[in-house]
């Protein structure tokens, strides 16, 4: 577990049938925790603005705002690969702008690879980054619009009962192969489902990892660490089945701290135990 993760080691894990673990993190301490448990990928998601900072629009995050987040995660990671999302803008502006943004993230924040959302619509962006020597984690998959175009309900895609048209399977396999040919090192298959997911995994040599709408049929999974442990204000009143409810724990602990202060007691942590 002490060896530094490489793209070659991820490919070898796929060949051996070993699952790849990715965690979305946004700060040094959470990055250090997931690195310590041995995840292969620490992913700096562009959802930090919406999920952690309270930005109303997920597209509001900027490249300048992403930089200190990437730097913070880099400081906490020793073993895992650090991946960073592009915010909305650089990829859409064109291949050169995408390369310029990626070079900045590599040079100033030390990220190991760039995750490109909507990569199937911009294979030239993938090619440009790879040509510049920057590894790419290419995202593609099923959206509400694509599901509707095939007469399917988006919410049913991730069930074993979903009837997936052959044309959709063929299209997604074609997109996966196209991104592999463009030079992508990994694929992020959104809403893969148990029908299309295994077909895509078998069709390409590079690892196929899934976050939203993924499952055990893929080469691995990526999960937002803050969501997995219930770290949000909303978690205080939530009955969702997560791995913990840190929001509720924090609420109760800080309530006790406030009560001690109001009662004129010494707060815990102000003095060492003897």
């Amino acid at each position: 577990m002490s060896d530094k993760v490489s793209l070659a080691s991820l490919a070898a894990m796929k060949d051996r049938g070993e699952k790849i673990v990715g965690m979305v993190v946004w700060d040094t301490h959470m990055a250090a925790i997931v690195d310590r448990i041995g995840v292969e990928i620490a992913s700096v998601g562009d959802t930090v603005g919406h999920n952690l900072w309270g930005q109303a629009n997920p597209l509001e995050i900027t490249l300048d705002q992403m930089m200190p987040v990437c730097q913070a995660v880099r400081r906490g990671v020793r073993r895992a690969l650090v991946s960073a999302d592009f915010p909305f803008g650089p990829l859409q502006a064109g291949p050169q702008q995408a390369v310029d943004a990626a070079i900045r993230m590599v040079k100033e924040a030390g990220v190991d690879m760039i995750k490109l959302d909507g990569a199937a619509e911009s294979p030239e962006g993938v090619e440009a980054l790879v040509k510049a020597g920057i590894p790419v984690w290419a995202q593609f998959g099923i959206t509400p619009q694509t599901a509707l175009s095939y007469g399917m309900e988006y919410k049913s895609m991730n069930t074993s009962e979903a009837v997936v048209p052959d044309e959709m399977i063929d299209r997604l396999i074609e997109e996966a192969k196209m991104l592999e040919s463009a030079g992508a090192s990994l694929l992020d298959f959104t809403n893969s489902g148990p029908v299309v997911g295994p077909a895509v995994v078998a069709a390409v040599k590079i690892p196929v990892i899934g976050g939203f709408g993924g499952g055990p049929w893929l080469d691995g999974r990526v999960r937002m660490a803050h969501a997995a442990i219930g770290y949000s204000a909303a978690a205080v009143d939530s009955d969702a089945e997560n791995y913990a409810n840190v929001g509720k724990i924090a609420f109760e602990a800080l309530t006790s701290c406030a009560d001690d202060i109001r009662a004129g007691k010494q707060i815990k942590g102000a003095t060492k135990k003897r």
Side-chain angles (χ1 to χ4, degrees):
M1 187 178 291
S2 60
D3 294 339
K4 181 82 168 74
V5 178
S6 67
L7 295 172
S9 63
L10 296 186
M13 289 180 69
K14 176 185 174 83
D15 292 341
R16 294 192 299 266
E18 298 174 4
K19 299 299 184 183
I20 297 165
V21 180
M23 290 282 179
V24 176
V25 289
W26 299 310
D27 64 84
T28 300
H29 298 284
M30 193 64 72
I33 290 171
V34 303
D35 194 52
R36 182 173 174 178
I37 68 174
V39 305
E40 281 72 43
I41 302 171
S43 177
V44 186
D46 64 347
T47 55
V48 58
H50 180 63
N51 289 317
L52 196 63
W53 299 341
Q55 291 179 349
N57 188 335
L59 302 182
E60 188 177 331
I61 189 80
T62 67
L63 182 62
D64 284 342
Q65 290 175 324
M66 283 291 294
M67 292 304 297
V69 184
C70 293
Q71 291 164 347
V73 170
R74 177 75 273 173
R75 294 184 192 108
V77 171
R78 297 294 177 267
R79 175 184 176 272
L81 287 169
V82 176
S83 170
D85 287 5
F86 266 169
F88 182 82
L91 183 61
Q92 290 72 23
Q96 188 55 56
Q97 289 87 341
V99 169
D100 291 343
I103 289 174
R104 183 181 173 195
M105 295 181 108
V106 170
K107 290 183 67 175
E108 296 182 25
V111 305
D112 298 306
M113 62 183 170
I114 300 295
K115 184 156 105 39
L116 296 181
D117 289 344
E121 285 73 49
S122 302
E124 65 280 359
V126 177
E127 292 177 349
L129 263 65
V130 173
K131 187 177 180 180
I134 301 171
V136 172
W137 184 5
Q139 183 271 333
F140 77 115
I142 302 168
T143 65
Q145 291 75 23
T146 56
L148 183 62
S149 69
Y150 285 96
M152 300 186 65
E153 289 188 30
Y154 182 64
K155 63 182 180 181
S156 71
M157 289 301 305
N158 211 39
T159 68
S160 58
E161 292 79 20
V163 178
V164 183
D166 290 341
E167 306 94 290
M168 175 181 276
I169 297 175
D170 292 342
R171 172 182 168 179
L172 290 163
I173 289 175
E174 182 180 342
E175 288 183 354
K177 288 182 174 180
M178 173 189 67
L179 292 169
E180 182 179 36
S181 297
S185 298
L186 303 169
L187 296 180
D188 178 11
F189 192 173
T190 301
N191 206 29
S192 59
V195 178
V196 187
V200 169
V201 168
V204 296
K205 295 180 180 179
I206 59 178
V208 183
I209 304 172
F212 179 76
W217 48 84
L218 300 178
D219 293 313
R221 300 295 304 278
V222 60
R223 178 69 165 141
M224 188 187 301
H226 284 68
I229 64 173
Y231 181 87
S232 69
V236 176
D237 302 309
S238 174
D239 294 324
E241 185 179 359
N242 286 320
Y243 293 91
N245 191 326
V246 173
K248 191 170 186 178
I249 293 169
F251 178 84
E252 293 172 351
L254 295 175
T255 297
S256 295
C257 179
D259 289 344
D260 283 351
I261 293 172
R262 293 188 181 106
K265 297 180 180 179
Q266 181 60 279
I267 58 175
K268 294 180 181 179
T271 57
K272 293 183 179 180
K273 288 184 178 181
R274 295 186 182 276

